[in-house]
Amino acid sequence: MITFKSHHDPLDDWALKELTGHYVNYRKQCSARDQPLLPEADFRLYAVCSRYPHNLVNHVTLEPVHQGMYACERGTDKIRIIVAGQVSREPQNALLHLFSASAETVGYGAGHYEQRSHDTSSLVGRLLGSYQGEGIAMSYTMADYRRDTAEEYLKELTPEERRKVLENLTAEERLAGLSAEEIAAYLKKLKSERPSRKARPRRKR
């Protein structure tokens, strides 16, 4: 179970109470009726926040585990707290960096995050768009994101799918970037591949 608090919403004691409540309900729903509940070890509780939860440390103790990651115990429940703005700046943490709300860190995350699906791609796009709407100036812009995403998708397309994409371009746009020699060589190749027309025999008078 995961709860997330952006830079607008504090991760406080009440948020952890909500997380625990959702966990209890989910555990009941996952367990078979008239059977013991599934073991607690089958579940993990995570709380991700953009900034360090100063309000929370007034009520619970956060034990550092890794950079930007803390362990929190509430009764017998163990909750892992992840502060997106503090985790180490490494490619494997790129997704977390996107939620840090720090212009520099978000830019790093967007530039290093590897797209897994079209759904996550659109999610990241909306996230970057919302940051720009809030006036957070990032060196990595939406234009950069669209360009990088398009380049990644083009690599995955088959030759036939790429040709369909090019159908929307003008002849001039298709040839842009090719040298005159490359264009001439391709035209020569096309001409050589065309079947030669046999001359029709003349009719005898």
Side-chain angles (χ1 to χ4, degrees):
M1 299 290 293
I2 300 176
T3 184
F4 169 71
K5 296 299 179 182
S6 70
H7 59 292
H8 292 300
D9 305 311
L11 178 66
D12 52 18
D13 186 60
W14 181 254
L16 295 190
K17 284 184 171 69
E18 288 183 324
L19 175 63
T20 304
H22 289 309
Y23 151 66
V24 171
N25 290 330
Y26 183 67
R27 187 182 175 196
K28 290 179 179 179
Q29 293 175 8
C30 292
S31 302
R33 183 174 298 181
D34 300 327
Q35 295 293 327
L37 295 177
L38 292 174
E40 289 191 49
D42 290 354
F43 300 87
R44 297 288 186 273
L45 301 180
Y46 295 90
V48 181
C49 52
S50 297
R51 50 191 171 85
Y52 186 76
H54 293 284
N55 293 336
L56 182 62
V57 295
N58 294 328
H59 303 279
V60 298
T61 300
L62 301 185
E63 294 291 339
V65 178
H66 298 292
Q67 182 176 336
M69 300 183 184
Y70 305 85
C72 172
E73 292 189 6
R74 292 170 56 85
T76 59
D77 296 326
K78 296 182 179 180
I79 303 175
R80 182 62 55 90
I81 309 293
I82 302 175
V83 182
Q86 292 184 351
V87 294
S88 57
R89 190 173 296 183
E90 300 176 31
Q92 63 266 29
N93 293 330
L95 182 59
L96 288 171
H97 294 319
L98 293 174
F99 297 94
S100 67
S102 164
E104 185 179 356
T105 307
V106 171
Y108 176 88
H112 290 80
Y113 177 65
E114 295 182 4
Q115 305 296 333
R116 293 290 187 270
S117 71
H118 293 280
D119 293 333
T120 56
S121 173
S122 59
L123 174 63
V124 173
R126 289 196 297 271
L127 182 62
L128 293 178
S130 66
Y131 282 146
Q132 289 189 335
E134 294 172 3
I136 298 178
M138 294 179 294
S139 58
Y140 190 91
T141 64
M142 277 295 293
D144 297 326
Y145 172 75
R146 293 191 185 99
R147 183 193 63 246
D148 292 343
T149 302
E151 290 177 355
E152 283 298 319
Y153 286 159
L154 282 175
K155 293 177 183 178
E156 299 176 1
L157 296 180
T158 64
E160 182 179 355
E161 290 172 333
R162 291 180 186 177
R163 283 193 291 271
K164 289 183 179 180
V165 173
L166 293 175
E167 288 177 357
N168 298 321
L169 302 179
T170 65
E172 184 177 351
E173 290 172 333
R174 295 188 193 187
L175 297 176
L178 295 178
S179 64
E181 292 76 12
E182 290 174 320
I183 296 174
Y186 183 67
L187 291 176
K188 184 178 180 180
K189 179 183 177 182
L190 286 180
K191 188 175 181 180
S192 64
E193 291 176 350
R194 290 177 181 174
S196 58
R197 295 182 179 179
K198 296 182 179 180
R200 296 181 180 179
R202 294 182 179 180
R203 294 182 180 179
K204 296 182 179 180
R205 295 181 179 179

